[in-house]
Amino acid sequence: MPKKTDNAAAFVTEITPRSQDFSRWYLDVVRRAELADYSPVKGCMVIRPYGYAIWELLRDALDRRFKATGHVNAYFPLFIPEGLLHKEAEHVEGFAPQVAYVTIGGGEVLEEKLVVRPTSEAIIGTMYAKWVQSWRDLPILINQWANVVRWEKVTRPFLRTTEFLWQEGHTAHETEAEAEEETLRILALYREVAEQELAMPVVPGRKTDSERFAGALRTYSIEALMGDGRALQAGTSHNLGQNFAKAFEIQFQARDKSLQHVWGTSWGVSTRLIGGVIMTHGDDSGLILPPRVAPHQVVIVPIPRGNWQETVLPKARALRDELTAAGIRVMLDDRDSYTPGWKFAEWELRGVPVRVEIGPRDIEQGQVVMVRRDTREKATVPMSELGKRIGPVLEDIQQGLLARARQFRDEHTTHVETYEQFKEVMEGRPGFIVAPWCGSAACEAQIKAETQATIRNLPLGEQRSAGKCVKCGGAAVTEAYFAKAY
């Protein structure tokens, strides 16, 4: 995270407009909505209860899907002997700049340094080598929920921090085809969660060789487009081939009695997705949370007039109980130390999908005022109908946010044929650029050096005729999604 100044350390009272400074707006929202805060440890954040509640809802949505596809949870150590990490050369080279070490324990210098987990292929591979003997032991479909540490030079809450929370799945299979099927199954699962739970449309595809995970055979990703036109890598799924199996001697007796190495996969998403939700949906007033990951889907604000604690408050509590019984996450804001106007702004900032206002006049007329966070549309609703109206409204907000984000992405996706067009679009209108590419790492590197745009991924399935490479003019082998990225 940026170095704190007196101004940065102060409590944020106003939010910088998105159009004025998107980066500052993002940081203001994170702190003012009490999602996270700076910690005394450089590059690390404290996830506050409201932010952690979003993570819990996302975690549960993922966990349900993992278990429905046959995966089980386990836990592996935070510390990894340095020697294990060095067994897979490409892997250790890829992570070397980010590794943190423990050299002293209990006041004594350790005989072998311990790596603080940057990812768990090494320790899990070591254990799989003990557990796998026969084809009957396969597949192994294990996921773990954990923290990891990667020593980052430039950090930003949720998007890139030295320590972060994630899930990492690690599987072992009999055949290459099974491993590839698993890799793509998880990629589709990630896309489903991003779009159905977070209302964040993504582009699934395969990473180029220069962008693939260190030690993997192939890496796939889902890429989302943020409100400032930059791309966010929202999840990755890796076909590890047999690289780690050979490095850690994960072998099994096959059905034909031969001795073979397993085929592996690994995959993960992290708390970075919370940052994605902020930047996909937020506005100048703060967060706009999709109902499925909103800690409070509805906030009820009583209007304190007259003897409201004897008249309004009991009705408000009854509505809260009714909605809670229907499975809605409800917050009743009955604090008498804040005005209704302050509460309205506060809950807008926190992105609560629906606000319900109820005052003495509403009780007389048997109604409430319902306000949507996404459109700010107000509607007067009979009190007796609120329970059956809320569910459809929440679903409409969920789908509306996805449609709005998808429209933004489509409007900021441009197909180009020439490098002049490429540079003009990248300088003038941020977003995805889809362009033909020859497959050359040299062209990829030159484009990055000259425009700061990277290939986010190569689309799956059928593609348009590739034509000529946007950089060198040679025969293109595929189209690629380019963008400036976080």
Side-chain angles (χ1 to χ4, degrees):
M1 288 165 214
K3 185 177 179 180
K4 287 194 296 183
T5 63
D6 289 342
N7 188 45
F11 183 72
V12 178
T13 56
E14 294 184 2
I15 297 174
T16 304
R18 278 186 9 145
S19 58
Q20 178 179 317
D21 187 335
F22 192 89
S23 179
R24 185 74 249 171
W25 166 85
Y26 174 82
L27 294 174
D28 287 349
V29 170
V30 167
R31 299 193 65 212
R32 182 65 182 81
E34 297 184 347
L35 300 176
D37 204 351
Y38 299 106
S39 85
V41 182
K42 182 183 177 182
C44 294
M45 65 175 174
V46 174
I47 304 177
R48 301 188 68 174
Y50 197 64
Y52 197 81
I54 298 172
W55 174 241
E56 287 179 311
L57 290 163
L58 173 58
R59 181 196 64 194
D60 292 347
L62 286 161
D63 203 60
R64 285 193 301 271
R65 288 170 170 84
F66 294 153
K67 289 172 179 171
T69 49
H71 299 82
V72 294
N73 289 331
Y75 187 79
F76 296 84
L78 173 66
F79 301 117
I80 303 168
E82 183 185 27
L84 292 186
L85 198 67
H86 283 274
K87 282 193 172 185
E88 213 292 326
E90 185 181 359
H91 184 63
V92 69
E93 182 180 354
F95 275 99
Q98 297 177 307
V99 170
Y101 292 97
V102 175
T103 59
I104 298 174
E108 298 180 0
V109 176
L110 301 179
E111 290 185 11
E112 180 178 11
K113 290 191 291 186
L114 296 175
V115 172
V116 182
R117 170 176 57 212
T119 182
S120 297
E121 279 76 9
I123 189 70
I124 291 177
T126 300
M127 301 311 298
Y128 282 8
K130 293 175 61 177
W131 299 344
V132 175
Q133 305 297 324
S134 161
W135 63 269
R136 294 180 180 85
D137 300 322
L138 299 172
I140 295 180
L141 307 175
I142 287 181
N143 173 68
Q144 80 162 341
W145 294 95
N147 63 334
V148 291
V149 171
R150 297 178 183 176
W151 215 257
E152 300 281 1
K153 293 181 180 178
V154 179
T155 58
R156 187 176 300 179
F158 293 114
L159 298 179
R160 192 176 299 278
T161 51
T162 298
E163 179 192 18
F164 55 90
L165 304 181
W166 77 347
Q167 59 73 211
E168 51 178 322
H170 298 266
T171 70
H173 305 266
E174 278 188 79
T175 67
E176 181 179 9
E178 288 179 14
E180 182 71 1
E181 181 183 7
E182 166 78 0
T183 308
L184 293 174
R185 177 189 297 115
I186 296 299
L187 188 74
L189 186 154
Y190 285 161
R191 179 181 184 178
E192 178 182 302
V193 169
E195 297 187 343
Q196 291 188 9
E197 307 292 331
L198 306 180
M200 185 170 70
V202 294
V203 175
R206 179 172 59 85
K207 288 289 191 183
T208 64
D209 286 346
S210 64
E211 294 286 337
R212 68 180 162 80
F213 180 69
L217 187 63
R218 284 182 291 276
T219 288
Y220 299 91
S221 74
I222 54 171
E223 303 286 330
L225 194 64
M226 301 294 96
D228 63 346
R230 286 182 175 266
L232 183 77
Q233 181 177 285
T236 51
S237 184
H238 316 288
N239 184 334
L240 302 178
Q242 293 180 308
N243 295 341
F244 286 86
K246 290 176 179 177
F248 295 96
E249 300 178 0
I250 313 172
Q251 296 177 296
F252 67 101
Q253 187 179 57
R255 297 169 193 262
D256 63 1
K257 307 301 182 184
S258 64
L259 191 62
Q260 298 184 15
H261 289 94
V262 302
W263 297 83
T265 80
S266 68
W267 27 272
V269 297
S270 75
T271 39
R272 152 178 282 222
L273 288 174
I274 297 175
V277 169
I278 299 167
M279 294 193 294
T280 298
H281 303 299
D283 63 14
D284 283 352
S285 296
L287 290 172
I288 299 178
L289 291 176
R292 293 181 189 171
V293 292
H296 311 307
Q297 295 170 311
V298 175
V299 59
I300 300 174
V301 180
I303 308 302
R305 293 199 183 106
N307 59 339
W308 72 280
Q309 291 182 327
E310 285 74 40
T311 56
V312 177
L313 194 53
K315 285 289 187 182
R317 287 171 177 161
L319 287 175
R320 175 198 60 193
D321 295 344
E322 178 189 351
L323 296 178
T324 300
I328 307 296
R329 295 186 292 277
V330 186
M331 162 63 71
L332 170 59
D333 191 348
D334 58 0
R335 295 173 292 177
D336 58 9
S337 53
Y338 296 97
T339 66
W342 187 93
K343 293 178 183 179
F344 296 166
E346 182 70 7
W347 293 113
E348 279 194 359
L349 167 71
R350 291 174 179 262
V352 176
V354 173
R355 182 175 77 241
V356 173
E357 304 168 10
I358 179 171
R361 187 176 302 172
D362 297 309
I363 291 176
E364 290 174 6
Q365 298 177 358
Q367 65 185 27
V368 296
V369 176
M370 183 171 64
V371 186
R372 293 172 55 142
R373 174 62 179 90
D374 59 336
T375 62
R376 290 190 166 84
E377 177 187 348
K378 287 189 176 186
T380 300
V381 179
M383 209 173 296
S384 59
E385 294 183 12
L386 183 64
K388 62 183 179 183
R389 291 275 293 273
I390 284 289
V393 168
L394 290 173
E395 183 59 22
D396 192 60
I397 293 172
Q398 184 79 30
Q399 298 308 321
L401 288 175
L402 176 60
R404 190 159 75 183
R406 188 171 279 145
Q407 180 181 355
F408 176 86
R409 182 197 63 187
D410 293 346
E411 290 175 350
H412 291 79
T413 299
T414 308
H415 291 258
V416 303
E417 301 294 337
T418 70
Y419 196 46
E420 288 306 312
Q421 290 176 322
F422 186 103
K423 290 188 290 186
E424 182 180 346
V425 172
M426 191 56 69
E427 288 176 7
R429 187 184 185 194
F432 284 128
I433 290 182
V434 184
W437 175 56
C438 64
S440 160
C443 283
E444 182 183 6
Q446 288 171 12
I447 291 172
K448 180 178 180 180
E450 293 170 8
T451 70
Q452 296 183 310
T454 56
I455 295 179
R456 303 316 304 156
N457 60 31
L458 310 175
L460 304 176
E462 284 190 34
Q463 300 173 37
R464 302 187 314 165
S465 175
K468 295 182 178 180
C469 176
V470 71
K471 184 67 176 75
C472 69
V477 296
T478 183
E479 286 189 317
Y481 274 76
F482 294 83
K484 294 178 182 178
Y486 282 97

